[in-house]
Amino acid sequence: MGVAYSVGEVDHLYTFFVQWSPDIYNRDSTEQSFLVVKDPGTGPRNWEILIKDEKRRQSICFSLEGEEPDDLLPVLRDPSLILGDHHLETLVKHLPARIQVYSWRLVYSTAEHGTSLKTLYRRMASIDSPVLLAIKDMDNQVFGAFSSHPFRVSECCYGTGETFLYSFSPNFNIFRWSGENYYFVKGFLDSLQMGAGGGRFGLWLDADLNRGSSYSCHTFHNQPLSPHHDFTVQELEAWTFE
């Protein structure tokens, strides 16, 4: 007789198996970085995964009752000038379940690589992974986007319904695909566009990654990400997952 699991329970089990057998479920992982402890109690069986990394020690309990992990922080391989722990804790919960267990690598930063969209494209040329874009404007507001595909120059729009916009200005809001159109991402040499419809872009950045704009669009039915429709970039980072 089979056993039926909810979607949330399947996500928890998948995350556990990725950590438990990285050689099977995650070929890029080479080191087991956790301990598994059985709950000796007589109630429903729980598994506790204790991450050994002191910088990002986590305690995640998986239960057939569908408990959600508390205070789950990703491991950043590089420091961020934009994202603090409260940003990371919020964002990771909204990423696709398959990449929530991966560490984050900084593939592009205006502070490190200069202000150039061409450089951003060039640094993503060999990447086959979703990308999280984080922006801080001159008003110190933080916002950005998650793209199901790395940014590149393209003749047409690309991406999937996993793509979303987000803003912490002033409180956290996430704007997922509305289903109205497929204008997720479009890359030009002189601009990067995310979301469209109604004559406006959900997020637009210029060739120098210095100026941008954000308006409500049909793709995400979003509110403007910045307090001002047109903004100046203070810092911009692009993160990939591996």
Side-chain angles (χ1 to χ4, degrees):
M1 182 177 178
V3 179
Y5 296 99
S6 71
V7 174
E9 290 167 352
V10 170
D11 285 343
H12 287 325
L13 288 171
Y14 177 76
T15 303
F16 170 79
F17 288 136
V18 169
Q19 293 277 11
W20 180 246
S21 301
D23 56 326
I24 298 176
Y25 295 94
N26 181 11
R27 298 185 183 277
D28 294 332
S29 298
T30 58
E31 179 182 358
Q32 180 173 301
S33 59
F34 62 91
L35 301 173
V36 178
V37 181
K38 287 185 179 180
D39 184 354
T42 58
R45 176 169 294 180
N46 293 283
W47 295 90
E48 186 175 6
I49 298 179
L50 302 179
I51 305 301
K52 295 188 291 186
D53 184 348
E54 291 293 340
K55 182 179 180 181
R56 296 290 184 195
R57 180 173 294 275
Q58 305 167 15
S59 179
I60 308 171
C61 295
F62 297 110
S63 169
L64 293 181
E65 295 179 350
E67 295 177 5
E68 292 292 331
D70 295 325
D71 193 27
L72 177 61
L73 286 175
V75 175
L76 270 59
R77 297 191 176 186
D78 308 280
S80 174
L81 297 179
I82 299 176
L83 301 173
D85 282 356
H86 68 290
H87 298 118
L88 298 170
E89 181 182 351
T90 301
L91 287 170
V92 73
K93 296 175 183 177
H94 296 279
L95 298 179
R98 72 179 189 279
I99 64 173
Q100 288 184 6
V101 297
Y102 293 156
S103 59
W104 296 23
R105 181 173 68 86
L106 185 63
V107 66
Y108 174 84
S109 162
T110 52
E112 181 177 352
H113 304 107
T115 55
S116 169
L117 183 58
K118 290 182 180 179
T119 302
L120 173 64
Y121 290 145
R122 184 170 63 251
R123 292 190 58 80
M124 291 192 179
S126 61
I127 291 175
D128 184 19
S129 164
V131 173
L132 183 92
L133 184 69
I135 300 169
K136 180 190 288 186
D137 67 13
M138 287 300 185
D139 294 323
N140 291 319
Q141 301 299 314
V142 174
F143 51 91
F146 173 84
S147 173
S148 61
H149 292 70
F151 300 126
R152 65 178 187 273
V153 176
S154 58
E155 295 183 357
C156 58
C157 294
Y158 59 91
T160 72
E162 290 181 332
T163 303
F164 63 79
L165 305 179
Y166 70 88
S167 177
F168 288 90
S169 175
N171 301 313
F172 180 72
N173 280 296
I174 182 170
F175 305 100
R176 296 192 180 276
W177 179 41
S178 67
E180 192 164 333
N181 61 42
Y182 298 91
Y183 303 149
F184 299 113
V185 186
K186 180 72 167 68
F188 297 90
L189 286 175
D190 61 355
S191 66
L192 177 66
Q193 303 169 1
M194 298 192 69
R200 302 288 189 176
F201 302 112
L203 179 62
W204 178 91
L205 294 166
D206 71 0
D208 296 323
L209 299 179
N210 178 50
R211 295 190 179 277
S213 64
S214 177
Y215 290 83
S216 178
C217 71
H218 294 171
T219 310
F220 302 108
H221 286 180
N222 59 290
Q223 301 169 10
L225 304 182
S226 172
H228 309 289
H229 289 296
D230 300 309
F231 59 85
T232 301
V233 175
Q234 180 181 164
E235 301 283 353
L236 182 147
E237 297 174 348
W239 296 84
T240 188
F241 308 91
E242 55 187 31

